[in-house]
Amino acid sequence: MSSLWKPFSVSEGPCDSISLKRRCSQQSHTATLTPNPSLCAVSGASLSGCSPEIYKWGSSKRTLSAATVGGRKITHPGKAILAGGIAGGIEICITFPTEYVKTQLQLDERANPPRYRGIGDCVRLTVQDHGLRGLYRGLSSLLYGSIPKSAVRFGTFELLSNPMRDANGRLDNTRSLLCGLGAGVAEAVLVVCPMETVKVKFIHDQCSLQPRYRGFFHGVREIVKAQGIRGTYQGLTATVLKQGSNQAIRFYVMNLLRNWYKGDDPRREMHPVVTAAFGATAGAASVFGNTPLDVVKTRMQGLQAHRYRSTVDCAFQILRNEGPQAFYKGTVPRLGRVCLDVAIVFVIYEEVVKMLNDVWKTE
């Protein structure tokens, strides 16, 4: 290839190309890179900018930094955990009322006379009976869980995806789907299932004539006292299926849109508005993809969970008693919350990672 296409030309050193095979070992031979003045002049770079670098033949380690060669920098899992936790805490404080309404509508089973006629009626009755604070009932359980949930999600995703990225830091779409699935399963088992169980029981308890739980810690203590630790892991199968599919869809769509936007330039920066739009799209895709699993999970974690023998039995009873449309109860409020949720989380996460990169130097 012509040297005009290379910023450096390689001088063979003391051995010519023939004798190299016979008398020079790869371990002892070094090739000195010298600047190519013609290309430096064309590119506008100074000769000092094209300073020589020395490479060891047969060595896989180069002296150039990977960050200067690749595109998107690989995020250290420690940064991902910290940034994910911060993003999760901020997001849940903003979006919880929509989560509350969604859960109430899903618990409003058709087997009994329905209490709510729709989203607006649910909000009106809740405020009427409990004030504005009623829309935040159960926030503490979700807040305590949202921070570690997002931390585990992003930390696991980066841990799994970093070895799968190419030299430019680009992750292909199939691998992003698998990494997202792994992240979803991890957060389901470690955080989401116990957190969601407590949250659903709190919200369901508020609907009863004589609420039993006076607060987060009192509620957790009562649940464990009555049902043991297992009482906080009701609906584990449904939760793993829901979270695994959730994050698989979200990270797949987000990665697909990111790769499309950056095209052949992996170093192209994404404006927060673009990140928010892509995040909202990923969130919407996950809602339509797994709302039936979310409905089953919610029923399995409610105060009436003893009515169901298993996740499959729960799904069968919903289908038999309420029809297939029941699997999409709460879709509209969930759609609004999840789109906002995913958009906020991805924007905050990306921005916090950028700040951490300035103060926390990692290889």
Side-chain angles (χ1 to χ4, degrees):
M1 182 182 294
S2 171
S3 62
L4 289 176
W5 293 97
K6 302 178 181 179
F8 300 100
S9 59
V10 180
S11 61
E12 292 294 335
C15 302
D16 57 30
S17 58
I18 298 177
S19 62
L20 178 61
K21 297 180 181 179
R22 298 176 180 175
R23 299 192 301 273
C24 297
S25 67
Q26 289 183 338
Q27 288 77 13
S28 64
H29 185 73
T30 62
T32 303
L33 299 181
T34 57
N36 185 327
S38 60
L39 183 59
C40 289
V42 171
S43 63
S46 63
L47 287 179
S48 60
C50 296
S51 59
E53 297 287 341
I54 296 181
Y55 291 73
K56 289 282 186 183
W57 284 86
S59 171
S60 61
K61 201 167 185 178
R62 296 187 296 179
T63 58
L64 289 177
S65 168
T68 63
V69 176
R72 180 178 183 268
K73 291 183 178 179
I74 290 178
T75 301
H76 188 278
K79 294 179 182 178
I81 291 173
L82 182 57
I86 293 172
I90 295 174
E91 172 273 322
I92 199 60
C93 290
I94 297 173
T95 63
F96 184 79
T98 58
E99 173 69 11
Y100 176 89
V101 173
K102 179 215 72 170
T103 304
Q104 286 282 41
L105 291 176
Q106 289 179 347
L107 292 173
D108 191 29
E109 301 180 33
R110 183 170 295 180
N112 299 319
R115 184 184 181 192
Y116 306 117
R117 295 191 298 271
I119 299 172
D121 187 53
C122 178
V123 173
R124 182 180 62 80
L125 290 177
T126 300
V127 173
Q128 178 181 304
D129 295 340
H130 305 283
L132 287 175
R133 291 182 61 182
L135 293 173
Y136 282 89
R137 183 67 184 270
L139 172 64
S140 56
S141 63
L142 211 58
L143 182 62
Y144 297 149
S146 183
I147 294 174
K149 177 180 73 171
S150 292
V152 170
R153 176 193 307 164
F154 283 101
T156 302
F157 181 80
E158 296 296 350
L159 185 66
L160 294 176
S161 66
N162 283 348
M164 298 184 181
R165 297 183 184 276
D166 62 19
N168 290 322
R170 189 186 184 96
L171 181 67
D172 71 48
N173 299 325
T174 301
R175 291 178 177 178
S176 70
L177 182 74
L178 296 176
C179 292
L181 177 62
V185 171
E187 72 175 16
V189 174
L190 297 177
V191 182
V192 176
C193 189
M195 176 194 73
E196 288 283 308
T197 301
V198 171
K199 179 208 72 175
V200 172
K201 288 183 184 295
F202 271 29
I203 294 177
H204 209 170
D205 180 62
Q206 181 179 324
C207 299
S208 61
L209 296 176
Q210 295 181 336
R212 293 178 296 167
Y213 307 139
R214 296 191 298 269
F216 175 76
F217 293 106
H218 176 261
V220 171
R221 187 166 62 249
E222 289 297 310
I223 293 171
V224 173
K225 181 179 178 180
Q227 305 173 28
I229 296 296
R230 186 177 180 181
T232 63
Y233 271 89
Q234 291 178 332
L236 177 61
T237 302
T239 303
V240 168
L241 291 173
K242 179 217 170 186
Q243 293 303 124
S245 60
N246 238 353
Q247 302 312 323
I249 294 171
R250 290 178 189 176
F251 279 107
Y252 172 82
V253 173
M254 189 69 187
N255 192 71
L256 176 71
L257 294 174
R258 180 187 286 117
N259 287 342
W260 166 78
Y261 179 80
K262 294 192 174 184
D264 296 330
D265 183 10
R267 287 170 289 190
R268 183 181 181 185
E269 290 292 332
M270 285 176 56
H271 191 278
V273 174
V274 176
T275 303
F278 289 173
T281 303
S286 69
V287 168
F288 291 111
N290 74 352
T291 287
L293 289 172
D294 187 54
V295 171
V296 173
K297 175 196 72 68
T298 299
R299 298 287 180 87
M300 288 293 294
Q301 293 172 337
L303 296 179
Q304 302 298 319
H306 62 275
R307 295 170 48 187
Y308 310 116
R309 295 190 301 272
S310 65
T311 300
V312 174
D313 180 60
C314 177
F316 178 74
Q317 288 196 37
I318 293 173
L319 179 63
R320 182 182 61 188
N321 298 328
E322 305 172 52
Q325 68 273 16
F327 287 110
Y328 280 89
K329 274 189 173 182
T331 298
V332 175
R334 184 178 181 230
L335 182 64
R337 178 198 179 270
V338 169
C339 288
L340 187 60
D341 164 4
V342 180
I344 291 173
V345 166
F346 272 111
V347 169
I348 296 176
Y349 174 76
E350 295 289 347
E351 295 306 308
V352 172
V353 167
K354 290 177 184 177
M355 290 189 291
L356 289 176
N357 284 336
D358 293 333
V359 298
W360 181 358
K361 303 300 181 182
T362 55
E363 292 295 332

